[in-house]
Amino acid sequence: MKIQEIFGNMVFNDSVMREKLPKDVYRALKKTMSQGTHLELNIANTVAGAMKDWATEKGATHFSHWFQPMTGVTAEKHDSFIAPTGDGRVITEFSGKALVRGEPDASSFPSGGLRATFEARGYTVWDTTSYAFIKDGTLFIPTAFCSYCGEALDKKTPLLRSMEAIDKQAMRVLKLFGNTTATRVISQVGPEQEYFLIDKSVYLKRPDLICTGRTLFGARPPKGQEMDDHYFGRLKPRVSAFMKELDEELWKLGVCAKTKHNEVAPAQHELAPIFSTANIATDHNQLTMEVMKTVADRHSLACLLHEKPFAGVNGSGKHNNWSITAETLSGTSTNLLEPGKTPHENAQFLLFLVAVIKAVDEYQDLLRLSAASAGNDHRLGANEAPPAIISMFLGEELTEILQALESGADYKDKAREQMEIGATVLPHFPRDTTDRNRTSPFAFTGNKFEFRMLGSAFSISGPNIVLNTIVAESLRQFADVLEGAADFKQALATLIKKTFKEHKRIVFNGNNYAEEWVCEAKKRGLSNLKTTVDALPEFITKKSIELFTRHNVFAETEVLSRYEIMMENYCKTIHIEALTMVDIVKGEIFSASVDYQNALAKLLLKKRELSEYDATMEEQLLNSISKLSACLIKRLGKLETAILESGEDRNILEQATFYRDKVFTAMSELRLIVDELETLIAKKYTTLPTYADMLYSV
């Protein structure tokens, strides 16, 4: 197998369009893709016919408008290409109208009050900027999803709007620097995806994993990640076979899967792709998560994407590498966050850099909430992921450059320090002055920013909507100042200096895990929104709504609806987890505890009858389990009471607060007892696989 032969062979990409479409149709479609111009019906009909012929040649029988509703996963409705001829036979057809627009029932998708149940109609609209692809015998057409009145009901539409916002404002700035060749500015993203693999047979014996994606109970195994022997370690044969097939399946779909390796925790792994536009990167990441689960199943494995499937070992995140690139008509591109060899002399780079600094400082709460979820609350700040406090890592060189500009001092360019490894046979290389700070939530890593707070199950759409929009706002303000300046160079220097001075509090190059940083961040006036419930209300502040409406990313109703959806999702997640806990305790833990106590009691009685035998062990063990079981009943009752009370009439914020403070607290207290019982009850009395069974099952 040659990679070049299979890569993108299931994608209706540019090379296929060149081959299958008439030249005038190809040019019209490319104009629509690059400039957003209207696609005429006759052009759409020709494209649809070519797309259908190509798809059916590859074995496709159906097509589907593939979209991303507010569930966080993708949705699809399949229609066949067949049409009856009247003589008992069929032909295959696919019209431009069917390609461009669909009408799925929208009644059961989250809308946050944007539409009533009886107003079920929704529309899917072809996103020409993301290529169609074939999977499982169906032609999938990436689409946006909106309500009957035009409100966005999905995660794609606002992302495309945010890309237009940053394009518009960045182009204003580039023109001030005399750049006449750039035609557009696009945000580029490369998301690193972490995940766990466990044996499918073990997975199927854990109701909590099946229902919630994480283990609600489980004592720590004797060996976890203490030895650091799994990170970048040798791939086990089953894992290697899974990864090989995963790469091949993703390559067929045009996903540039590049890097694969073992992560820190046992059974944890990572996949990273090459950068693509924020829109396509989001589509590809959704595809990646789907394909991961499908391929895992073929290898009798289960792929876990929850942020914290196992307590006490590292959870999984998704590092969102973000940059902005200027493109020209000739096809060349320039990374606007590339410092160059002498960044202190690169005024354009410095302006875009301080634009990001300003954006992250002014809208730190929005960035925080873009990574908020019930699952991610288990992970953030747990010495495996950044804390909930937003800060930026710039590295020594860039920080010193900006400090010199602020003070008016001359910056002396430092020669790169050569790394001496201590073996003459090994080459010397320069130390990276923008080295990663793995504890930072938002780190500059050479020519991009790495937003490290995302949870592994996240759609990357939300965080990139926020990033694009807040940076667009900084650039808008910069352009407003510079466009009216009498002396551009002087105004530019003043603006860079002023911006860094006003927003340098957000820059922190130290250890984000240290307790001292929490105190320091508070002194600086930085937010510390520890939980999802703390963070989400920041979405509906006047400041946030004005930001999104100003750049036409969200209407106010769309902001309010998403707030409702995210709050409801938080409540529903914890509610399902609580009910699952109750089921497991009643259906598994009770019987295991009773059966083992019964066996111990019988043995204890026999030993007492035979007075020459010491029954100390049985007495102490039975006493311990009996006391824990009594406590188990009390804590289970507390949880069941909290579940019942959660249904009382409250507004959505009050309800979410109740789930966090009452229901989740009762769950945590119950777990302590069950985990302790697991260490005492003989394994043969329970069917639940232990952490050791799961983490070392592959």
Side-chain angles (χ1 to χ4, degrees), residues 298-335:
R298 291 205 287 260
H299 289 258
S300 298
L301 298 169
C303 177
L304 309 180
L305 293 173
H306 193 281
E307 288 76 20
K308 195 73 171 179
F310 304 102
V313 297
N314 272 23
S316 294
K318 182 141 50 189
H319 298 177
N320 189 86
N321 296 281
W322 178 91
S323 65
I324 42 178
T325 302
E327 291 193 342
T328 66
L329 280 175
S330 63
T332 60
S333 60
T334 303
N335 186 342

mmCIF file of all heavy atoms in Angstrom, residues 298-335:
data_model
loop_
_atom_site.group_PDB
_atom_site.id
_atom_site.type_symbol
_atom_site.label_atom_id
_atom_site.label_comp_id
_atom_site.label_asym_id
_atom_site.label_seq_id
_atom_site.Cartn_x
_atom_site.Cartn_y
_atom_site.Cartn_z
ATOM 1 N N ARG A 298 -13.658 -2.863 15.595
ATOM 2 C CA ARG A 298 -13.192 -3.943 14.706
ATOM 3 C C ARG A 298 -12.017 -4.709 15.315
ATOM 4 O O ARG A 298 -11.735 -5.839 14.906
ATOM 5 C CB ARG A 298 -12.803 -3.371 13.345
ATOM 6 C CG ARG A 298 -13.986 -2.859 12.545
ATOM 7 C CD ARG A 298 -13.694 -2.865 11.055
ATOM 8 N NE ARG A 298 -12.785 -1.822 10.654
ATOM 9 C CZ ARG A 298 -13.154 -0.658 10.101
ATOM 10 N NH1 ARG A 298 -14.445 -0.404 9.914
ATOM 11 N NH2 ARG A 298 -12.266 0.236 9.744
ATOM 12 N N HIS A 299 -11.323 -4.088 16.248
ATOM 13 C CA HIS A 299 -10.184 -4.738 16.909
ATOM 14 C C HIS A 299 -10.568 -5.248 18.297
ATOM 15 O O HIS A 299 -9.683 -5.525 19.118
ATOM 16 C CB HIS A 299 -9.016 -3.759 17.010
ATOM 17 C CG HIS A 299 -8.357 -3.473 15.688
ATOM 18 N ND1 HIS A 299 -7.164 -4.047 15.310
ATOM 19 C CD2 HIS A 299 -8.749 -2.688 14.655
ATOM 20 C CE1 HIS A 299 -6.837 -3.623 14.110
ATOM 21 N NE2 HIS A 299 -7.786 -2.790 13.685
ATOM 22 N N SER A 300 -11.880 -5.347 18.562
ATOM 23 C CA SER A 300 -12.394 -5.788 19.864
ATOM 24 C C SER A 300 -11.870 -4.904 20.995
ATOM 25 O O SER A 300 -11.544 -5.372 22.088
ATOM 26 C CB SER A 300 -12.028 -7.260 20.132
ATOM 27 O OG SER A 300 -12.613 -8.092 19.166
ATOM 28 N N LEU A 301 -11.802 -3.615 20.691
ATOM 29 C CA LEU A 301 -11.372 -2.620 21.658
ATOM 30 C C LEU A 301 -12.490 -1.604 21.864
ATOM 31 O O LEU A 301 -13.395 -1.488 21.042
ATOM 32 C CB LEU A 301 -10.109 -1.892 21.178
ATOM 33 C CG LEU A 301 -8.850 -2.725 20.959
ATOM 34 C CD1 LEU A 301 -7.784 -1.901 20.235
ATOM 35 C CD2 LEU A 301 -8.301 -3.233 22.291
ATOM 36 N N ALA A 302 -12.419 -0.858 22.947
ATOM 37 C CA ALA A 302 -13.313 0.274 23.171
ATOM 38 C C ALA A 302 -12.459 1.528 23.268
ATOM 39 O O ALA A 302 -11.467 1.555 24.008
ATOM 40 C CB ALA A 302 -14.118 0.084 24.446
ATOM 41 N N CYS A 303 -12.824 2.549 22.502
ATOM 42 C CA CYS A 303 -12.114 3.824 22.527
ATOM 43 C C CYS A 303 -12.870 4.773 23.460
ATOM 44 O O CYS A 303 -14.049 5.056 23.236
ATOM 45 C CB CYS A 303 -12.022 4.405 21.118
ATOM 46 S SG CYS A 303 -11.245 6.031 21.044
ATOM 47 N N LEU A 304 -12.195 5.247 24.485
ATOM 48 C CA LEU A 304 -12.804 6.134 25.483
ATOM 49 C C LEU A 304 -12.334 7.566 25.242
ATOM 50 O O LEU A 304 -11.133 7.840 25.250
ATOM 51 C CB LEU A 304 -12.428 5.700 26.901
ATOM 52 C CG LEU A 304 -12.653 4.226 27.258
ATOM 53 C CD1 LEU A 304 -12.225 3.965 28.698
ATOM 54 C CD2 LEU A 304 -14.108 3.824 27.043
ATOM 55 N N LEU A 305 -13.292 8.467 25.040
ATOM 56 C CA LEU A 305 -12.966 9.864 24.758
ATOM 57 C C LEU A 305 -13.354 10.803 25.897
ATOM 58 O O LEU A 305 -13.213 12.018 25.763
ATOM 59 C CB LEU A 305 -13.655 10.306 23.463
ATOM 60 C CG LEU A 305 -13.153 9.630 22.190
ATOM 61 C CD1 LEU A 305 -14.020 10.014 21.006
ATOM 62 C CD2 LEU A 305 -11.703 9.997 21.911
ATOM 63 N N HIS A 306 -13.840 10.253 26.997
ATOM 64 C CA HIS A 306 -14.191 11.095 28.140
ATOM 65 C C HIS A 306 -12.933 11.773 28.693
ATOM 66 O O HIS A 306 -11.825 11.235 28.615
ATOM 67 C CB HIS A 306 -14.849 10.257 29.231
ATOM 68 C CG HIS A 306 -15.519 11.069 30.297
ATOM 69 N ND1 HIS A 306 -14.822 11.671 31.330
ATOM 70 C CD2 HIS A 306 -16.825 11.379 30.495
ATOM 71 C CE1 HIS A 306 -15.670 12.321 32.107
ATOM 72 N NE2 HIS A 306 -16.895 12.159 31.627
ATOM 73 N N GLU A 307 -13.134 12.975 29.265
ATOM 74 C CA GLU A 307 -11.998 13.720 29.800
ATOM 75 C C GLU A 307 -11.348 13.034 30.999
ATOM 76 O O GLU A 307 -10.157 13.218 31.247
ATOM 77 C CB GLU A 307 -12.448 15.129 30.219
ATOM 78 C CG GLU A 307 -12.762 16.055 29.069
ATOM 79 C CD GLU A 307 -14.093 15.762 28.405
ATOM 80 O OE1 GLU A 307 -14.953 15.113 29.037
ATOM 81 O OE2 GLU A 307 -14.279 16.175 27.245
ATOM 82 N N LYS A 308 -12.096 12.238 31.737
ATOM 83 C CA LYS A 308 -11.544 11.590 32.928
ATOM 84 C C LYS A 308 -12.183 10.223 33.119
ATOM 85 O O LYS A 308 -12.969 10.000 34.033
ATOM 86 C CB LYS A 308 -11.819 12.458 34.160
ATOM 87 C CG LYS A 308 -11.000 12.081 35.391
ATOM 88 C CD LYS A 308 -9.548 12.473 35.263
ATOM 89 C CE LYS A 308 -8.830 12.289 36.594
ATOM 90 N NZ LYS A 308 -7.406 12.652 36.497
ATOM 91 N N PRO A 309 -11.842 9.259 32.255
ATOM 92 C CA PRO A 309 -12.477 7.942 32.384
ATOM 93 C C PRO A 309 -12.046 7.188 33.634
ATOM 94 O O PRO A 309 -12.788 6.341 34.125
ATOM 95 C CB PRO A 309 -12.045 7.211 31.110
ATOM 96 C CG PRO A 309 -10.855 7.944 30.615
ATOM 97 C CD PRO A 309 -10.985 9.349 31.060
ATOM 98 N N PHE A 310 -10.857 7.503 34.158
ATOM 99 C CA PHE A 310 -10.354 6.791 35.335
ATOM 100 C C PHE A 310 -9.841 7.794 36.362
ATOM 101 O O PHE A 310 -8.970 8.606 36.051
ATOM 102 C CB PHE A 310 -9.223 5.834 34.948
ATOM 103 C CG PHE A 310 -9.606 4.841 33.889
ATOM 104 C CD1 PHE A 310 -9.215 5.021 32.577
ATOM 105 C CD2 PHE A 310 -10.371 3.735 34.206
ATOM 106 C CE1 PHE A 310 -9.576 4.115 31.594
ATOM 107 C CE2 PHE A 310 -10.738 2.819 33.235
ATOM 108 C CZ PHE A 310 -10.345 3.014 31.920
ATOM 109 N N ALA A 311 -10.378 7.727 37.574
ATOM 110 C CA ALA A 311 -9.915 8.620 38.642
ATOM 111 C C ALA A 311 -8.507 8.218 39.062
ATOM 112 O O ALA A 311 -8.158 7.039 39.068
ATOM 113 C CB ALA A 311 -10.849 8.540 39.840
ATOM 114 N N GLY A 312 -7.694 9.213 39.382
ATOM 115 C CA GLY A 312 -6.365 8.921 39.900
ATOM 116 C C GLY A 312 -5.292 8.753 38.853
ATOM 117 O O GLY A 312 -4.106 8.645 39.197
ATOM 118 N N VAL A 313 -5.670 8.700 37.566
ATOM 119 C CA VAL A 313 -4.684 8.690 36.489
ATOM 120 C C VAL A 313 -5.025 9.839 35.535
ATOM 121 O O VAL A 313 -6.131 10.376 35.561
ATOM 122 C CB VAL A 313 -4.659 7.345 35.719
ATOM 123 C CG1 VAL A 313 -4.257 6.199 36.628
ATOM 124 C CG2 VAL A 313 -6.014 7.047 35.089
ATOM 125 N N ASN A 314 -4.073 10.196 34.714
ATOM 126 C CA ASN A 314 -4.275 11.339 33.840
ATOM 127 C C ASN A 314 -5.529 11.207 32.985
ATOM 128 O O ASN A 314 -5.818 10.125 32.459
ATOM 129 C CB ASN A 314 -3.072 11.513 32.904
ATOM 130 C CG ASN A 314 -1.992 12.377 33.518
ATOM 131 O OD1 ASN A 314 -1.916 12.502 34.735
ATOM 132 N ND2 ASN A 314 -1.159 12.968 32.693
ATOM 133 N N GLY A 315 -6.241 12.308 32.837
ATOM 134 C CA GLY A 315 -7.360 12.355 31.916
ATOM 135 C C GLY A 315 -6.889 12.727 30.528
ATOM 136 O O GLY A 315 -5.690 12.883 30.269
ATOM 137 N N SER A 316 -7.826 12.867 29.621
ATOM 138 C CA SER A 316 -7.503 13.150 28.223
ATOM 139 C C SER A 316 -7.957 14.545 27.825
ATOM 140 O O SER A 316 -9.076 14.953 28.124
ATOM 141 C CB SER A 316 -8.168 12.125 27.295
ATOM 142 O OG SER A 316 -7.628 10.841 27.502
ATOM 143 N N GLY A 317 -7.092 15.237 27.122
ATOM 144 C CA GLY A 317 -7.411 16.568 26.616
ATOM 145 C C GLY A 317 -7.306 16.617 25.110
ATOM 146 O O GLY A 317 -7.077 15.613 24.436
ATOM 147 N N LYS A 318 -7.487 17.817 24.606
ATOM 148 C CA LYS A 318 -7.346 18.046 23.165
ATOM 149 C C LYS A 318 -6.643 19.393 23.025
ATOM 150 O O LYS A 318 -7.229 20.428 23.318
ATOM 151 C CB LYS A 318 -8.722 18.055 22.513
ATOM 152 C CG LYS A 318 -8.675 18.244 21.021
ATOM 153 C CD LYS A 318 -9.690 17.383 20.311
ATOM 154 C CE LYS A 318 -11.087 17.467 20.856
ATOM 155 N NZ LYS A 318 -11.990 16.464 20.276
ATOM 156 N N HIS A 319 -5.395 19.378 22.603
ATOM 157 C CA HIS A 319 -4.631 20.618 22.484
ATOM 158 C C HIS A 319 -4.934 21.273 21.147
ATOM 159 O O HIS A 319 -4.710 20.686 20.090
ATOM 160 C CB HIS A 319 -3.136 20.342 22.632
ATOM 161 C CG HIS A 319 -2.778 19.780 23.970
ATOM 162 N ND1 HIS A 319 -1.497 19.389 24.305
ATOM 163 C CD2 HIS A 319 -3.537 19.548 25.068
ATOM 164 C CE1 HIS A 319 -1.488 18.943 25.545
ATOM 165 N NE2 HIS A 319 -2.723 19.023 26.019
ATOM 166 N N ASN A 320 -5.438 22.482 21.209
ATOM 167 C CA ASN A 320 -5.901 23.206 20.030
ATOM 168 C C ASN A 320 -4.815 24.188 19.580
ATOM 169 O O ASN A 320 -4.653 25.266 20.132
ATOM 170 C CB ASN A 320 -7.186 23.967 20.371
ATOM 171 C CG ASN A 320 -7.862 24.566 19.161
ATOM 172 O OD1 ASN A 320 -8.643 23.913 18.480
ATOM 173 N ND2 ASN A 320 -7.575 25.836 18.883
ATOM 174 N N ASN A 321 -4.026 23.780 18.588
ATOM 175 C CA ASN A 321 -2.962 24.624 18.055
ATOM 176 C C ASN A 321 -3.546 25.570 17.018
ATOM 177 O O ASN A 321 -4.065 25.130 15.989
ATOM 178 C CB ASN A 321 -1.863 23.758 17.436
ATOM 179 C CG ASN A 321 -1.177 22.884 18.476
ATOM 180 O OD1 ASN A 321 -0.327 23.343 19.214
ATOM 181 N ND2 ASN A 321 -1.575 21.622 18.541
ATOM 182 N N TRP A 322 -3.427 26.884 17.263
ATOM 183 C CA TRP A 322 -4.134 27.900 16.475
ATOM 184 C C TRP A 322 -3.162 28.931 15.925
ATOM 185 O O TRP A 322 -2.271 29.403 16.646
ATOM 186 C CB TRP A 322 -5.170 28.575 17.367
ATOM 187 C CG TRP A 322 -5.971 29.680 16.757
ATOM 188 C CD1 TRP A 322 -7.166 29.572 16.108
ATOM 189 C CD2 TRP A 322 -5.659 31.087 16.767
ATOM 190 N NE1 TRP A 322 -7.612 30.815 15.716
ATOM 191 C CE2 TRP A 322 -6.707 31.760 16.111
ATOM 192 C CE3 TRP A 322 -4.584 31.830 17.270
ATOM 193 C CZ2 TRP A 322 -6.709 33.144 15.938
ATOM 194 C CZ3 TRP A 322 -4.581 33.210 17.098
ATOM 195 C CH2 TRP A 322 -5.637 33.850 16.439
ATOM 196 N N SER A 323 -3.334 29.280 14.661
ATOM 197 C CA SER A 323 -2.541 30.356 14.058
ATOM 198 C C SER A 323 -3.392 31.025 12.985
ATOM 199 O O SER A 323 -4.484 30.554 12.647
ATOM 200 C CB SER A 323 -1.243 29.810 13.446
ATOM 201 O OG SER A 323 -1.527 28.947 12.358
ATOM 202 N N ILE A 324 -2.889 32.126 12.435
ATOM 203 C CA ILE A 324 -3.597 32.832 11.361
ATOM 204 C C ILE A 324 -2.636 33.043 10.197
ATOM 205 O O ILE A 324 -1.470 33.402 10.385
ATOM 206 C CB ILE A 324 -4.192 34.178 11.839
ATOM 207 C CG1 ILE A 324 -3.217 34.925 12.743
ATOM 208 C CG2 ILE A 324 -5.504 33.966 12.542
ATOM 209 C CD1 ILE A 324 -3.727 36.278 13.193
ATOM 210 N N THR A 325 -3.145 32.826 9.006
ATOM 211 C CA THR A 325 -2.329 32.822 7.792
ATOM 212 C C THR A 325 -2.934 33.727 6.738
ATOM 213 O O THR A 325 -4.156 33.702 6.523
ATOM 214 C CB THR A 325 -2.214 31.383 7.236
ATOM 215 O OG1 THR A 325 -1.638 30.545 8.231
ATOM 216 C CG2 THR A 325 -1.355 31.345 5.992
ATOM 217 N N ALA A 326 -2.074 34.515 6.083
ATOM 218 C CA ALA A 326 -2.500 35.355 4.957
ATOM 219 C C ALA A 326 -2.232 34.616 3.661
ATOM 220 O O ALA A 326 -1.121 34.119 3.443
ATOM 221 C CB ALA A 326 -1.756 36.681 4.977
ATOM 222 N N GLU A 327 -3.254 34.531 2.799
ATOM 223 C CA GLU A 327 -3.120 33.847 1.516
ATOM 224 C C GLU A 327 -3.181 34.847 0.372
ATOM 225 O O GLU A 327 -3.808 35.907 0.481
ATOM 226 C CB GLU A 327 -4.227 32.799 1.353
ATOM 227 C CG GLU A 327 -4.089 31.621 2.292
ATOM 228 C CD GLU A 327 -5.004 30.478 1.904
ATOM 229 O OE1 GLU A 327 -5.974 30.716 1.143
ATOM 230 O OE2 GLU A 327 -4.763 29.348 2.347
ATOM 231 N N THR A 328 -2.522 34.505 -0.732
ATOM 232 C CA THR A 328 -2.519 35.354 -1.923
ATOM 233 C C THR A 328 -3.171 34.612 -3.087
ATOM 234 O O THR A 328 -3.376 33.396 -3.030
ATOM 235 C CB THR A 328 -1.084 35.745 -2.319
ATOM 236 O OG1 THR A 328 -0.375 34.557 -2.733
ATOM 237 C CG2 THR A 328 -0.343 36.385 -1.151
ATOM 238 N N LEU A 329 -3.461 35.345 -4.170
ATOM 239 C CA LEU A 329 -4.059 34.726 -5.353
ATOM 240 C C LEU A 329 -3.138 33.687 -5.978
ATOM 241 O O LEU A 329 -3.593 32.721 -6.593
ATOM 242 C CB LEU A 329 -4.396 35.808 -6.390
ATOM 243 C CG LEU A 329 -5.697 36.591 -6.162
ATOM 244 C CD1 LEU A 329 -5.826 37.693 -7.197
ATOM 245 C CD2 LEU A 329 -6.906 35.663 -6.211
ATOM 246 N N SER A 330 -1.839 33.887 -5.833
ATOM 247 C CA SER A 330 -0.878 32.945 -6.420
ATOM 248 C C SER A 330 -0.797 31.640 -5.648
ATOM 249 O O SER A 330 -0.132 30.699 -6.083
ATOM 250 C CB SER A 330 0.512 33.590 -6.476
ATOM 251 O OG SER A 330 0.972 33.883 -5.167
ATOM 252 N N GLY A 331 -1.462 31.584 -4.478
ATOM 253 C CA GLY A 331 -1.482 30.347 -3.707
ATOM 254 C C GLY A 331 -0.466 30.296 -2.584
ATOM 255 O O GLY A 331 -0.428 29.319 -1.831
ATOM 256 N N THR A 332 0.381 31.323 -2.463
ATOM 257 C CA THR A 332 1.340 31.345 -1.367
ATOM 258 C C THR A 332 0.649 31.801 -0.084
ATOM 259 O O THR A 332 -0.404 32.434 -0.124
ATOM 260 C CB THR A 332 2.517 32.289 -1.678
ATOM 261 O OG1 THR A 332 2.003 33.616 -1.879
ATOM 262 C CG2 THR A 332 3.258 31.830 -2.916
ATOM 263 N N SER A 333 1.256 31.478 1.055
ATOM 264 C CA SER A 333 0.673 31.871 2.333
ATOM 265 C C SER A 333 1.771 32.277 3.305
ATOM 266 O O SER A 333 2.914 31.822 3.210
ATOM 267 C CB SER A 333 -0.160 30.727 2.921
ATOM 268 O OG SER A 333 0.645 29.590 3.140
ATOM 269 N N THR A 334 1.413 33.142 4.243
ATOM 270 C CA THR A 334 2.350 33.629 5.257
ATOM 271 C C THR A 334 1.704 33.506 6.623
ATOM 272 O O THR A 334 0.606 34.011 6.848
ATOM 273 C CB THR A 334 2.710 35.109 5.006
ATOM 274 O OG1 THR A 334 3.258 35.245 3.699
ATOM 275 C CG2 THR A 334 3.722 35.594 6.038
ATOM 276 N N ASN A 335 2.402 32.845 7.527
ATOM 277 C CA ASN A 335 1.920 32.728 8.899
ATOM 278 C C ASN A 335 2.144 34.066 9.601
ATOM 279 O O ASN A 335 3.283 34.508 9.780
ATOM 280 C CB ASN A 335 2.676 31.610 9.626
ATOM 281 C CG ASN A 335 2.113 31.333 11.014
ATOM 282 O OD1 ASN A 335 1.400 32.148 11.586
ATOM 283 N ND2 ASN A 335 2.437 30.174 11.559
#
